[in-house]
Amino acid sequence: MLTATDRYLARLIAVPMIGTLVIAAMLFMLDKMLSLFDFVAAQGGPVSVVWRMLANMLPEYMSLAIPIGLMLGILLAFRKLATTSELDVMRAVGLSYGRLLRVPYMYAIALALINFGIVGFVQPLSRHAYEALRFELRSGALGASIKVGEFTTMGKRMTMRIERSRDEGRNLQGIFVRANSSNGQSVAVTAAQGTFLATDDPDTIIFRLRDGVLVNDGPKYKTPRILSFSSHDLPIDLPQIENFRGRDVDREKTIPELVVIGRNAETPQKLKDEVRANFHYRMVEVVFMLLLPLAALAFAIPPKRSTSALGVFLSIIFIVTYHKINQYGESVGALGKIDPIFALWGPFLVASALVLWMYHVIAHRPGGQPIGALEYAFGKLGKQVVRLLSLRRRRAPAEGAA
């Protein structure tokens, strides 16, 4: 049963945790959105595909945003308790730090399970879908092969140019088409307007042209044949598009699939190293979340009579640095230079020892402050900066008066 204190602490954690998680995910998506708009525009694809690609990238961003949200949610909650002296009251009535961490660990375990589901099952499938969309854009399967204002080759025998596109591509204007047949004949068409129409054959579409001129030439014709028309249907054979690959990349495999590949004696050693490195990378990222409540508590509590936010800054550096170390460990393990167990679980043991030491100092040493030395150094540095700024402000009026 949760006590009133537990429910109060749960509310304090939930608000900044959810806010941080949403903001972090939005920042990741906004950064990616700009590059996706550039990529889709360069490929001539529809804008709607950007949102589909972002939706497929969301699981990957959530797997990064969840640990950050958990860390800052717990940290900001305990920081508020510490700066308002509520934490001192709770400690005075007999609530130990271990007891106060019950609710944070409920959040940590629940979010670790969610993150395991994301990185183990959802993210591999969404990554494959994202890469499939990129492939379809490049190959023209999403209608990205015809670019306005440029000459576009359709297959080996047709060239097309469109001056303007309106109504989301339903009304094309200023059209030029030239096609060559295998028997040497050629057709050149100019038209004021045109529209693509679907047919029963998925490999053929109809280009309905209006108000134009058709020029047909060939080896058997003494002079080219010229035809003016108000409406003309031009069949276009769509180029064959290569099918996208299967989920052959280790990052696109689910956890059970990685285990099966890694244990298969017929798996090549290079692939086995990549699979094992990716498997341990995912697992160590999830397990690391169980250390975050202890780390957040150690970073959250500032020295007495201090409102320094250095712990917030250090916590972000800590979690981002550890994530980058894991990425490096995965890449080294995938190359076979170091066993993935040492490359990934070694840094985890070091980080675990550091977090446990910080928690021991804050929880079991009277007046203990694991980042006290850094707080003192940054405090001194801040005073020096303020003093230098005040001296400059005093000198500026004096120099102006002189």
Side-chain angles (χ1 to χ4, degrees), residues 104-126:
Y105 263 101
M106 290 180 182
Y107 278 110
I109 293 173
L111 290 178
L113 292 175
I114 293 174
N115 208 20
F116 176 76
I118 291 175
V119 301
F121 300 91
V122 179
Q123 184 177 326
L125 302 178
S126 65

Side-chain angles (χ1 to χ4, degrees), residues 38 172 177 198 220 323:
D38 291 339
L172 305 176
V177 180
K220 298 181 180 180
H323 176 70

Side-chain angles (χ1 to χ4, degrees), residues 255-313:
I255 290 291
E257 290 172 339
L258 291 178
V259 173
V260 171
I261 296 173
R263 290 183 175 180
N264 190 348
E266 298 180 357
T267 302
Q269 186 60 41
K270 184 178 182 299
L271 178 59
K272 186 174 292 187
D273 291 335
E274 294 174 356
V275 166
R276 292 182 65 238
N278 187 253
F279 171 80
H280 288 289
Y281 169 77
R282 298 191 204 181
M283 296 306 300
V284 78
E285 286 278 305
V286 173
V287 175
F288 177 70
M289 292 182 62
L290 301 180
L291 296 175
L292 295 184
L294 301 178
L297 177 64
F299 285 120
I301 303 175
K304 294 298 182 182
R305 299 181 297 278
S306 173
T307 57
S308 171
L310 178 63
V312 179
F313 175 70

Side-chain angles (χ1 to χ4, degrees), residues 386-401:
V386 172
R387 182 177 300 175
L388 290 174
L389 292 176
S390 62
L391 287 175
R392 288 185 178 181
R393 289 176 182 175
R394 292 175 184 175
R395 290 176 181 176
E399 293 174 357

Side-chain angles (χ1 to χ4, degrees), residues 145-147 149-162 174-181 185-191 196 207 209 234-237 239:
S145 56
I146 300 177
K147 301 178 182 180
E150 298 181 14
F151 286 95
T152 303
T153 301
M154 301 286 291
K156 298 180 179 180
R157 302 181 182 276
M158 180 175 290
T159 303
M160 182 180 301
R161 189 177 190 274
I162 297 173
I175 300 165
F176 169 79
V177 180
R178 180 178 175 83
N180 298 318
S181 63
Q185 290 190 359
S186 64
V187 175
V189 184
T190 60
F196 284 107
F207 198 9
L209 305 172
L234 182 67
I236 297 178
D237 294 330

